[in-house]
Amino acid sequence: MNSGETDGTTEGAAAVAGDDERRARALEQLMTVGRQHSAVTVMFHSAIAAKQGLNATEEKTLDFLERRGPLTAKDLAELTGLAPASVTGLVDRLEAKGFVRRVKHPTDKRRVLVELNQRKLGELAVFFEEWARDIVDACEEFSAQELETVVRFLAVMSERQSKFVARLSE
């Protein structure tokens, strides 16, 4: 073996150590950026909610209803992690503000569904339209593969966070 060659073992170990260090740095950066993103997301939703006389929990509840359709109070409790009594108060407030209404369940007359007032919800849409354009613009600098990785990461993290919320609510 000449001085420029190695048996691969030393180089392989150094490469693994380098990858471990790179991964540790990336995870540290991810935690930092994740905290920053979480904080700005809460502030974003709080600001949008405030424009309509809502709090962030009320605004996100409307998002659940928009994405999933009419839900029972029990469904809302599971999705939000709120206690049933808190969900009752939440629905009362949203109903008083004109964003939702309680309707009879189509197949079980003992149950009630919480349904969106689409017209009233449209008042919130204007705030999200500009933001949606900004998101599309920002995503131009990423490849489809990078975006798919982000989507996969966010889906996994959302699932894990939902499970953690459920554990906190037990």
Side-chain angles (χ1 to χ4, degrees):
M1 218 183 265
N2 69 35
S3 62
E5 295 177 352
T6 66
D7 64 0
T9 307
T10 305
E11 282 184 2
V16 168
D19 285 347
D20 288 348
E21 290 174 22
R22 182 177 175 197
R23 182 175 179 78
R25 279 193 312 274
L27 283 171
E28 184 178 329
Q29 290 172 330
L30 178 63
M31 295 302 238
T32 299
V33 171
R35 288 180 70 186
Q36 292 167 344
H37 184 264
S38 174
V40 76
T41 297
V42 169
M43 296 301 108
F44 172 81
H45 285 287
S46 294
I48 287 183
K51 290 283 189 183
Q52 292 297 311
L54 301 169
N55 65 41
T57 301
E58 292 166 342
E59 189 258 335
K60 292 313 294 177
T61 298
L62 296 176
D63 180 54
F64 282 131
L65 291 165
E66 182 179 28
R67 288 185 290 122
R68 296 174 182 242
L71 297 168
T72 65
K74 181 180 178 185
D75 295 332
L76 287 172
E78 290 172 4
L79 288 168
T80 62
L82 296 173
S86 297
V87 170
T88 300
L90 170 69
V91 173
D92 288 346
R93 290 190 309 275
L94 288 172
E95 192 170 40
K97 295 173 185 179
F99 284 98
V100 302
R101 62 186 154 265
R102 289 174 168 98
V103 297
K104 290 182 181 179
H105 192 282
T107 59
D108 184 347
K109 299 302 179 196
R110 297 169 295 167
R111 294 171 60 195
V112 172
L113 292 173
V114 179
E115 178 179 84
L116 277 177
N117 175 345
Q118 291 295 337
R119 182 195 56 75
K120 183 77 172 170
L121 187 66
E123 296 174 12
L124 285 175
V126 68
F127 298 109
F128 290 101
E129 290 168 359
E130 182 178 353
W131 176 232
R133 286 190 299 273
D134 285 349
I135 291 171
V136 170
D137 183 54
C139 288
E140 288 298 318
E141 67 182 83
F142 298 95
S143 70
Q145 183 178 1
E146 288 172 315
L147 292 173
E148 289 165 350
T149 299
V150 171
V151 168
R152 186 169 64 90
F153 173 80
L154 290 175
V156 167
M157 297 315 297
S158 293
E159 182 180 333
R160 296 280 178 104
Q161 196 166 27
S162 292
K163 287 179 180 177
F164 191 77
V165 168
R167 287 195 310 268
L168 288 173
S169 301
E170 293 174 346

